[in-house]
Amino acid sequence: MKTNFYLPLWILLVSVLLSSCVRDTDFDQAENITLTPVVELNLIYFNLKANDFFDSITNTPRLTLRDTTELPFLDDDYVQEDLMKADFLFEFTNSIPRRFDVDFQFLDENNANTYRTGTDVAQGSPENAQTTTFTQTVEGNDLAELTTSSKVVVTVQIPSANENLEGELNLKSKTTYYLKLQN
Amino acid sequence: MRNILFCFIVLCASTVLSQNKAVLFGLEEVPQNLLLNPGSKVPQKFHFGIPFLSQVHVNGGASGVSAYDIFQESGGDINARIRDKIFDMDAKDFFTINQQLAVVDFGWLAKNKIYFSGGMYQELDFISYFPKDLAVLAWEGNQSRLGQEFDLGEVSTTGELLTVFHFGANKKMNENLTFGVRAKVYSSLIQFQSIDNTGTFTTRESTNGINIYEHELRNINMSVQTSGYASLRDADGSAEVISEILGRSFFGGNVGLGFDFGATYDIGRFWTVSGSVLDLGMVFHTNGVENYESKGNHTVNGIELIFPPLDDNEPAIPYFSNVVDEFENQVGVDTLQNSYTQLRPVKLNAAVEYRFGRGRGDACDCYNMSGAVATNQSVGLQLFSVFRPKGPQLAGTLFYYRRLWDFLSAKATYTVDPYSFSNVGLGVVANLGKFNAYLAADNLLRYGNLAKAKSVSLQLGFNIKIDQE
């Protein structure tokens, strides 16, 4: 009589525990997990005065200004694998009465060319600064080239300059990185 | 195979509301009940737990999500389900694992009517809150959330592996009151915590006009404390790591001290109230400590080019390194070796019980007509709370206890906690001669499909036990 009662109880509890399982699930789906964050980051900026384009010591114009910065993250493995697209936005504000040629040349660590882009900047005046917005979307083969880069050379060319030139050339820029992170 | 593995992981690595042993609390037939309330009534005069088998306790849970929520087969895109869950959960949701294994457990009734008990158990405890803002940032990026302050202070996690050596005394003070206390010495094998963090990360359109955006880190005060971790980095392979960790079991790492208190009070013949405070203590981490800390404010505007007139052989200015250096100066991570004190998660239990049904034991305790009677059934209410980094977590339990025969008792519970409103548990204790065995589990409604359970808790054990006459 006693055994009739307690045995089923034990069996019930033990069997519930033993029969416990995980159903209606498919953990293979983990392979499909994909993160697609879109990241906005500042890039470079500068603020050039008109007199930067004239060497007052030698009294000669400096028609080409050039500077270089490392961007060591561009050729990281995870950037090479996970970056799907990059949108560059360059925003120039020019109050110098000259137009400019601005060139962005990306180099790899051996200083070999990888990717190049550039734009004309509209002429402005000290009273009326002109804004030039330049966007560049990089994907596909170009992106593969870009992501072997580790530095960028920025070249600013002015057609002519003299000591009386006034105004400023200002650049702000950012990059939008479209990432795809997969398991 | 993967499913079996998952069952195994859930069962082995996993407790509800970390450490709420609702079924076991107040179950006097189980000697390890004294670990939940040192002031419990003690029916036995001697017990000895089968080594490594007197109490096995596993519990794991996630307050906001189950495996089924993410990995269900019912079609649809897993990424959409993850996204929905990220936005559905908040920073108070948590993931937790608690596991205990009694190595040695014993007790005896001394001549002075004090029941002494002691032993050693191993405990693993882990909790991590869900850092929602960081999850959103990782999932979506910052483009769609310009201007939003991402709260880095949501990061909150602790984990520890320790052995506990304990010794307690329990005495029936008078007809109504039983009181008990237990002292504990903690031997910490490894511990980490990252709590009380603050800070925000914001990307917004520039307010200073320098560049297009400003990326701002503000009021950063983030830290991670570790003990017993730094020396493992030099260990060669997992076998060496395991042997080094286990080597600290007997005070080889860091030590701490704690106390449990508990009492049971009979009100009249049918009502009993009981309560306990557990792990009121701390561990002092002085050996093998390594802490990481970041404090400050910083705004990143980008890389400023100044076009210096350089000769061809002059190196370019290391603009990028300068930006990184400035960042590290302002909000970089410092590595420190400061000792720290860790509070153990304090647990509170309280219960009220009403007894009814047939009397048991002696037909009539004629000298004690006003004292509590022992009956074969009771119902009651239990409350449990554990103090966690972001405040106490609470659980309420309704229970029904029935002593089926002298050798067999059962207790059923219904628990409401942060995980669910449908947690039904069941425990069974058998006394077969001097042999005592028990098995308790909750969330039984979910055992049919563990994937849908947000938490699982299981305790079982075997003892040699001799009851008082």
Side-chain angles (χ1 to χ4, degrees):
Chain A
M1 178 64 198
K2 283 179 179 177
T3 38
N4 286 349
F5 211 72
Y6 92 87
L7 204 60
L9 203 62
W10 272 97
I11 290 170
L12 178 73
L13 187 57
V14 170
S15 61
V16 164
L17 295 178
L18 290 181
S19 69
S20 72
C21 206
V22 174
R23 288 189 280 123
D24 310 325
T25 50
D26 174 13
F27 291 98
D28 290 336
Q29 293 177 84
E31 285 160 21
N32 301 332
I33 296 176
T34 308
L35 280 73
T36 52
V38 181
V39 178
E40 294 274 333
L41 285 178
N42 275 334
L43 196 62
I44 54 177
Y45 65 98
F46 63 68
N47 215 339
L48 288 170
K49 308 261 188 300
N51 60 20
D52 289 331
F53 294 95
F54 193 83
D55 188 335
S56 53
I57 298 167
T58 59
N59 217 22
T60 51
R62 294 167 65 200
L63 299 181
T64 301
L65 295 184
R66 184 173 284 127
D67 204 355
T68 304
T69 179
E70 324 100 292
L71 297 172
F73 57 88
L74 272 182
D75 64 349
D76 277 353
D77 287 348
Y78 77 89
V79 174
Q80 289 179 353
E81 282 167 22
D82 301 333
L83 186 63
M84 298 295 114
K85 186 169 85 158
D87 284 345
F88 289 101
L89 170 71
F90 297 97
E91 198 178 283
F92 295 91
T93 310
N94 183 14
S95 59
I96 301 173
R98 293 286 186 280
R99 51 165 288 279
F100 288 89
D101 261 343
V102 180
D103 178 70
F104 302 96
Q105 187 175 13
F106 290 81
L107 306 176
D108 66 16
E109 55 187 18
N110 301 317
N111 292 326
N113 291 334
T114 52
Y115 179 77
R116 185 167 205 161
T117 186
T119 186
D120 279 348
V121 177
Q123 176 174 329
S125 67
E127 300 78 34
N128 186 14
Q130 287 294 312
T131 303
T132 303
T133 302
F134 168 60
T135 58
Q136 179 73 49
T137 296
V138 186
E139 47 192 335
N141 285 338
D142 285 347
L143 187 72
E145 297 287 324
L146 179 72
T147 54
T148 58
S149 319
S150 63
K151 61 183 87 164
V152 62
V153 180
V154 182
T155 307
V156 182
Q157 284 185 292
I158 191 168
S160 65
N162 59 56
E163 58 192 324
N164 300 321
L165 203 58
E166 287 182 358
E168 289 182 4
L169 174 66
N170 170 280
L171 169 71
K172 299 172 182 180
S173 67
K174 63 146 179 156
T175 316
T176 309
Y177 301 93
Y178 296 85
L179 299 165
K180 188 171 179 183
L181 310 167
Q182 261 170 323
N183 199 350
Chain B
M1 182 61 211
R2 213 181 255 242
N3 289 357
I4 295 168
L5 190 69
F6 182 78
C7 284
F8 182 79
I9 290 168
V10 169
L11 279 170
C12 291
S14 68
T15 16
V16 177
L17 224 157
S18 208
Q19 319 184 6
N20 183 11
K21 300 173 191 167
V23 183
L24 218 52
F25 185 85
L27 204 54
E28 293 157 16
E29 291 89 334
V30 176
Q32 283 72 32
N33 158 51
L34 278 168
L35 290 170
L36 299 178
N37 182 358
S40 160
K41 292 179 185 175
V42 180
Q44 73 269 18
K45 63 180 182 185
F46 168 81
H47 82 267
F48 183 76
I50 307 296
F52 294 99
L53 282 176
S54 62
Q55 179 168 215
V56 179
H57 161 84
V58 289
N59 172 311
S63 65
V65 61
S66 69
Y68 181 82
D69 291 340
I70 302 297
F71 292 103
Q72 58 187 272
E73 261 176 340
S74 60
D77 178 18
I78 186 170
N79 293 303
R81 291 195 293 268
I82 294 174
R83 185 185 186 283
D84 289 348
K85 266 297 155 191
I86 287 175
F87 286 92
D88 187 39
M89 286 161 62
D90 65 38
K92 287 202 172 75
D93 280 308
F94 55 85
F95 305 86
T96 180
I97 296 171
N98 183 263
Q99 167 272 335
Q100 288 178 1
L101 174 69
V103 178
V104 183
D105 198 82
F106 55 86
W108 76 96
L109 186 66
K111 286 202 175 78
N112 54 10
K113 295 291 175 194
I114 294 176
Y115 194 85
F116 291 105
S117 61
M120 169 192 174
Y121 64 88
Q122 163 272 328
E123 179 171 350
L124 170 78
D125 188 49
F126 167 81
I127 184 168
S128 175
Y129 287 89
F130 176 62
K132 177 168 181 167
D133 279 9
L134 280 179
V136 169
L137 188 59
W139 193 257
E140 289 202 333
N142 62 353
Q143 186 185 51
S144 56
R145 294 174 182 273
L146 296 176
Q148 178 177 333
E149 293 189 350
F150 289 95
D151 185 359
L152 307 178
E154 288 175 352
V155 173
S156 184
T157 179
T158 72
E160 61 180 326
L161 178 65
L162 72 173
T163 50
V164 181
F165 298 80
H166 60 91
F167 193 80
N170 171 296
K171 185 167 192 206
K172 190 165 183 177
M173 311 299 282
N174 56 42
E175 281 306 326
N176 298 323
L177 176 68
T178 306
F179 180 77
V181 59
R182 179 175 308 283
K184 289 176 166 174
V185 177
Y186 305 113
S187 175
S188 173
L189 281 58
I190 188 164
Q191 199 263 353
F192 68 88
Q193 60 187 29
S194 180
I195 53 176
D196 301 328
N197 295 311
T198 66
T200 58
F201 169 71
T202 313
T203 299
R204 67 168 74 85
E205 290 185 16
S206 180
T207 54
N208 53 26
I210 293 174
N211 206 341
I212 291 175
Y213 295 124
E214 55 193 43
H215 306 291
E216 185 191 41
L217 285 166
R218 196 155 55 89
N219 291 333
I220 300 296
N221 189 351
M222 309 272 296
S223 66
V224 182
Q225 281 100 37
T226 73
S227 117
Y229 158 73
S231 61
L232 297 179
R233 280 186 309 221
D234 305 328
D236 183 24
S238 57
E240 197 170 314
V241 168
I242 291 168
S243 85
E244 170 151 3
I245 291 179
L246 292 181
R248 300 173 188 155
S249 299
F250 294 90
F251 311 110
N254 290 292
V255 295
L257 192 63
F259 293 94
D260 298 350
F261 300 94
T264 304
Y265 189 77
D266 293 321
I267 304 169
R269 293 167 66 78
F270 301 107
W271 291 89
T272 300
V273 293
S274 57
S276 67
V277 182
L278 305 177
D279 280 325
L280 199 61
M282 51 189 71
V283 180
F284 309 100
H285 294 279
T286 54
N287 287 327
V289 173
E290 192 161 292
N291 306 329
Y292 312 95
E293 195 176 88
S294 169
K295 280 184 185 175
N297 297 287
H298 189 49
T299 301
V300 178
N301 293 308
I303 299 163
E304 183 178 16
L305 304 183
I306 57 174
F307 296 90
L310 296 176
D311 292 337
D312 282 348
N313 52 2
E314 278 186 88
I317 298 175
Y319 294 111
F320 188 85
S321 312
N322 292 347
V323 170
V324 171
D325 289 350
E326 180 64 12
F327 183 90
E328 299 208 331
N329 281 340
Q330 298 297 325
V331 288
V333 176
D334 294 326
T335 303
L336 307 167
Q337 264 87 35
N338 297 351
S339 299
Y340 64 98
T341 300
Q342 166 224 348
L343 296 176
R344 294 238 56 219
V346 175
K347 280 138 287 214
L348 300 178
N349 284 287
V352 55
E353 177 188 32
Y354 173 75
R355 284 180 303 281
F356 61 98
R358 224 161 11 92
R360 60 177 159 89
D362 298 335
C364 172
D365 187 354
C366 300
Y367 297 102
N368 182 24
M369 291 302 285
S370 64
V373 293
T375 65
N376 68 335
Q377 294 177 67
S378 67
V379 292
L381 175 70
Q382 291 171 199
L383 293 175
F384 171 80
S385 175
V386 55
F387 287 84
R388 288 305 201 174
K390 290 194 179 178
Q393 295 171 351
L394 291 162
T397 299
L398 289 169
F399 71 84
Y400 171 67
Y401 162 88
R402 179 152 189 152
R403 190 172 174 115
L404 299 162
W405 292 279
D406 277 352
F407 64 91
L408 188 76
S409 306
K411 180 178 173 182
T413 60
Y414 168 76
T415 299
V416 173
D417 60 28
Y419 300 104
S420 77
F421 295 99
S422 57
N423 182 349
V424 174
L426 183 65
V428 182
V429 195
N431 286 317
L432 303 167
K434 292 184 175 63
F435 188 70
N436 167 271
Y438 67 95
L439 176 60
D442 74 359
N443 241 327
L444 292 177
L445 299 179
R446 294 276 177 264
Y447 274 78
N449 187 355
L450 276 181
K452 289 186 181 177
K454 290 178 176 160
S455 70
V456 183
S457 175
L458 180 73
Q459 297 107 41
L460 60 93
F462 303 94
N463 295 286
I464 306 295
K465 192 176 100 162
I466 303 172
D467 281 349
Q468 297 180 32
E469 274 101 48

